Amino acid sequence: MNWILLVVGGLFETGFAISLGKAQHTSGKEMWLWLLSFIVCVSISMYLLFKAMGGETAIPVGTAYAVWGAIGAIGTVIAGILLFKEPVTFWRMFFLTTLIISVIGLQTVSSSA
């Protein structure tokens, strides 16, 4: 269950990064709505990270934070490509892939510990 909380928290981290990006490109009421979205997403994301690191099946803080951050980073890169027309280059995809492999590796070694 804690891993599910952590993954969902990482997705909300992507949400708060997207919200900030959208707020940068808007003004007035729309900007304030994106900033409200940021506050909601960051609050939910942090709470889920907190919950994932507690309880009987707690995820160690180092692993939880690294995985949470990586999920947010992966989601933000993908969202940047899809929503903000950021470039898709070989090296961006290469390092994104190595990040995904690292997250899977952290989950695997943390589950068996």
Side-chain angles (χ1 to χ4, degrees):
M1 180 63 171
N2 287 25
W3 282 103
I4 293 170
L5 295 174
L6 190 64
V7 169
V8 174
L11 295 174
F12 274 98
E13 185 187 1
T14 298
F16 76 69
I18 292 168
S19 297
L20 283 178
K22 288 290 198 176
Q24 290 285 322
H25 296 97
T26 58
S27 61
K29 183 178 178 181
E30 187 178 358
M31 179 191 70
W32 288 107
L33 289 173
W34 282 113
L35 291 175
L36 177 62
S37 171
F38 164 77
I39 291 168
V40 170
C41 287
V42 77
S43 298
I44 293 169
S45 181
M46 292 292 175
Y47 177 74
L48 292 174
L49 173 63
F50 168 76
K51 293 299 283 183
M53 293 187 301
E56 291 179 25
T57 57
I59 301 169
V61 66
T63 301
Y65 185 77
V67 171
W68 173 83
I71 291 168
I74 292 163
T76 303
V77 169
I78 293 169
I81 291 167
L82 297 175
L83 301 174
F84 300 109
K85 309 275 191 269
E86 293 178 0
V88 179
T89 66
F90 170 80
W91 288 112
R92 286 187 89 193
M93 295 302 102
F94 173 79
F95 288 116
L96 187 64
T97 303
T98 62
L99 183 56
I100 292 167
I101 292 167
S102 296
V103 167
I104 293 168
L106 276 172
Q107 182 181 4
T108 302
V109 299
S110 294
S111 297
S112 63

